[in-house]
Amino acid sequence: MKNSTQLRFATIRNNSINDEARTAEFVISSEAVDSYNTVFTEAGWDFTRYNANPVVTYQHDDHSSDPDMVIGTSEIRIEGGKVIAKITFEDFEDNAVAKKVFRKVKNNILRGASIRADIKDGRMGEQARGEDPSVVYFTNQELVAWSIVTLPSNSEALKRNVESLEDFKSNLQPAVVTTEKRMSVFEAQLVINKNKL
């Protein structure tokens, strides 16, 4: 299956800001169905790549020649089905951007973050598992990066993201049972269930 990079919006955790330690926590993923009608499964996460270089940037400015766009580092953990990222902002004397972003986070002006994940595998939802058949469930994904942002993505990034998701979904369409006529997925499931009796 062809890999697909996806961007997703994330949010800051309430009461997670520590002034003295210059830290804040963001919920960067959960198993809730998102606005793209997809789910990142908890068991599917691989943080190895990210943990090797756990930097956090501002505005996904990963390739900036300005080193201050790297505003800190983070630790990733899974807690209660949610992926939590705890950022430690760089020392404010060394990085004015980190200081400004931290203040905006603290003052509830900047509340969002965005993750970039490399999708390795996924499937359409299965009713037998209590899932929605119209939802894509990513079952193997690698965290590439996350960033504090003003908006989850720009319009061009969103367009590319949606296109890659549609391409990914086209490879996941459930097989349709064929008899004399083409059946719907629902009809096919009824045939399967009837044969099990």
Side-chain angles (χ1 to χ4, degrees):
M1 179 168 298
K2 187 167 71 173
N3 290 357
S4 171
T5 299
Q6 297 293 312
L7 292 172
R8 288 296 182 273
F9 188 56
T11 56
I12 191 162
R13 278 185 112 181
N14 291 332
N15 305 316
S16 71
I17 299 169
N18 183 319
D19 279 303
E20 215 173 294
R22 302 184 319 278
T23 61
E25 291 186 352
F26 287 79
V27 176
I28 62 171
S29 185
S30 74
E31 288 194 325
V33 178
D34 61 28
S35 59
Y36 293 90
N37 218 27
T38 63
V39 170
F40 286 96
T41 60
E42 178 183 327
W45 279 110
D46 180 358
F47 303 123
T48 307
R49 177 178 174 182
Y50 178 78
N51 286 335
N53 185 35
V55 298
V56 180
T57 59
Y58 178 58
Q59 291 293 94
H60 276 303
D61 210 349
D62 305 333
H63 301 290
S64 173
S65 60
D66 181 357
D68 284 347
M69 290 300 103
V70 177
I71 58 175
T73 59
S74 75
E75 298 171 0
I76 305 292
R77 70 182 188 277
I78 294 179
E79 180 183 294
K82 296 177 180 177
V83 180
I84 310 296
K86 181 178 182 180
I87 178 174
T88 300
F89 288 84
E90 188 174 0
D91 188 309
F92 297 154
E93 291 180 14
D94 295 330
N95 190 331
V97 175
K99 180 179 182 179
K100 187 167 279 192
V101 171
F102 179 78
R103 284 187 177 166
K104 289 183 182 293
V105 168
K106 180 181 168 184
N107 292 328
N108 211 26
I109 295 167
L110 285 176
R111 303 174 218 180
S114 176
I115 66 167
R116 186 176 298 124
D118 193 2
I119 308 302
K120 306 293 186 184
D121 203 1
R123 58 178 170 72
M124 298 304 294
E126 299 172 10
Q127 283 183 330
R129 295 181 185 210
E131 299 170 344
D132 183 339
S134 69
V135 172
V136 175
Y137 289 78
F138 296 130
T139 57
N140 185 354
Q141 62 274 354
E142 182 178 56
L143 181 64
V144 176
W146 77 275
S147 185
I148 295 177
V149 295
T150 55
L151 297 171
S153 61
N154 65 42
S155 59
E156 288 182 6
L158 179 61
K159 184 174 186 291
R160 286 195 302 270
N161 191 40
V162 170
E163 286 172 353
S164 65
L165 178 59
E166 288 307 311
D167 184 45
F168 188 86
K169 283 171 74 171
S170 70
N171 294 320
L172 294 177
Q173 296 304 318
V176 177
V177 176
T178 305
T179 58
E180 293 178 11
K181 63 172 188 155
R182 221 173 147 79
M183 296 183 186
S184 70
V185 174
F186 178 72
E187 290 169 326
Q189 188 62 50
L190 287 177
V191 169
I192 291 167
N193 291 343
K194 183 178 176 185
N195 290 337
K196 287 182 179 178
L197 296 176

